[in-house]
Amino acid sequence: PPPGAPGGAPPPAVASSPIRRAGAFDNAIPEYASYVDKAKRRGTPPKDLGVLKRTINEQSIDADPVTFSGLRGCDGKPNCFSTTGDSLLEDRILTGVDTLISPWRPPADDPAPFKTLASAVKEYKPGQSFIDGGGFAVVKETDSYLYVQFEALKKGYIDDVEFAMAGGREQGIQVRSSSRVGQTDFGVNAIRLNAIAASLRAKGWAIDEITPKTHQDYFYAADDARDQTFDKDRRKGTEMENGRMDRPAIG
């Protein structure tokens, strides 16, 4: 199948759930207690999460439309990654930055790859690399679909993260990680996916790392936002923790 369309036999659609408990997730880091009474900006999840009928290349001049069952794509903002997206780069950047990633591919000797994936996600450590301090919770889990919500430490931003095996294992695992609010995510979705992917690569999975070379515009937007924010904690663990971006002088 073309890039962005994992294809395969369509499974039954799995509806997402907007469930959100009051207060912190159970695995929030201890520092969350300092912010639990602060105003939160959790946002609203998209209504079409889950494995549904998707079509890519609808506006393309050079690529034919392809319809398949899969996860939602991104809208071009530098706060999302998805394995669903138009096949051609020139089409994807018409709406913003390139947010397409390749499906995650398990090793042939893993008898239950989706269980392996789900275990890796559940072993994720909130607060790693100074993100997701509010913890996370599994909202929906089946044999072929996983929906998890991750919360930011201070302002309670919620990111929706999904994984799906919509075809045979040869098609790989579809992935989507996206912020609900804001223009940029300060690099959070890339950090999170790279952390989960690293644990799976150690088990033989083939997963491309998300880097400034693979998604240059996304990382530039993240660095630009870190540089300009008044929240110095956004720069922790990055090259800008002790320095700032070089900007041309005006005038």
Side-chain angles (χ1 to χ4, degrees):
V14 179
S16 64
S17 169
I19 294 172
R20 177 65 177 94
R21 293 172 297 147
F25 289 128
D26 293 340
N27 51 13
I29 65 176
E31 290 82 352
Y32 188 89
S34 300
Y35 305 99
V36 69
D37 295 326
K38 304 293 185 182
K40 305 297 182 183
R41 295 188 61 198
R42 295 186 172 112
T44 303
K47 295 180 179 179
D48 60 343
L49 294 181
V51 179
L52 302 172
K53 182 179 178 181
R54 315 285 181 183
T55 301
I56 61 172
N57 306 331
E58 289 185 283
Q59 306 300 321
S60 179
I61 296 175
D62 298 314
D64 294 329
V66 178
T67 299
F68 60 95
S69 290
L71 299 179
R72 193 178 194 271
C74 299
D75 61 7
K77 293 180 181 179
N79 64 6
C80 175
F81 289 101
S82 177
T83 48
T84 295
D86 285 343
S87 302
L88 303 178
L89 175 61
E90 55 263 39
D91 293 327
R92 297 197 296 275
I93 61 176
L94 289 176
T95 57
V97 305
D98 183 19
T99 54
L100 183 68
I101 57 176
S102 298
W104 293 8
R105 302 192 180 281
D109 60 355
D110 188 334
F114 205 81
K115 288 185 178 180
T116 301
L117 168 72
S119 295
V121 173
K122 293 172 185 177
E123 291 169 1
Y124 178 86
K125 297 185 182 302
Q128 62 89 27
S129 298
F130 306 102
I131 69 168
D132 298 327
F136 68 91
V138 173
V139 178
K140 189 80 174 183
E141 181 177 10
T142 72
D143 292 340
S144 60
Y145 176 77
L146 181 67
Y147 170 32
V148 188
Q149 293 177 354
F150 291 80
E151 181 175 341
L153 176 62
K154 293 183 177 180
K155 296 186 178 180
Y157 298 116
I158 296 291
D159 290 354
D160 299 300
V161 181
E162 302 173 277
F163 303 91
M165 181 177 282
R169 63 184 297 148
E170 67 278 359
Q171 302 294 335
I173 305 294
Q174 297 184 38
V175 181
R176 183 178 186 271
S177 181
S178 180
S179 302
R180 295 178 181 176
V181 299
Q183 178 67 23
T184 179
D185 65 356
F186 295 86
V188 167
N189 285 286
I191 294 170
R192 179 189 304 118
L193 288 181
N194 281 339
I196 298 171
S199 67
L200 289 169
R201 282 194 211 97
K203 296 178 172 65
W205 286 56
I207 305 173
D208 294 335
E209 185 177 10
I210 302 170
T211 71
K213 288 186 177 181
T214 64
H215 295 83
Q216 181 179 8
D217 291 340
Y218 167 87
F219 280 93
Y220 181 84
D223 285 343
D224 185 61
R226 291 187 187 110
D227 184 53
Q228 297 192 61
T229 183
F230 291 105
D231 185 356
K232 63 181 181 181
D233 288 344
R234 290 286 196 177
R235 292 187 281 273
K236 281 186 176 180
T238 73
E239 293 180 356
M240 274 180 282
E241 185 170 4
N242 299 308
R244 306 298 283 274
M245 291 180 70
D246 292 328
R247 296 180 182 272
I250 300 176

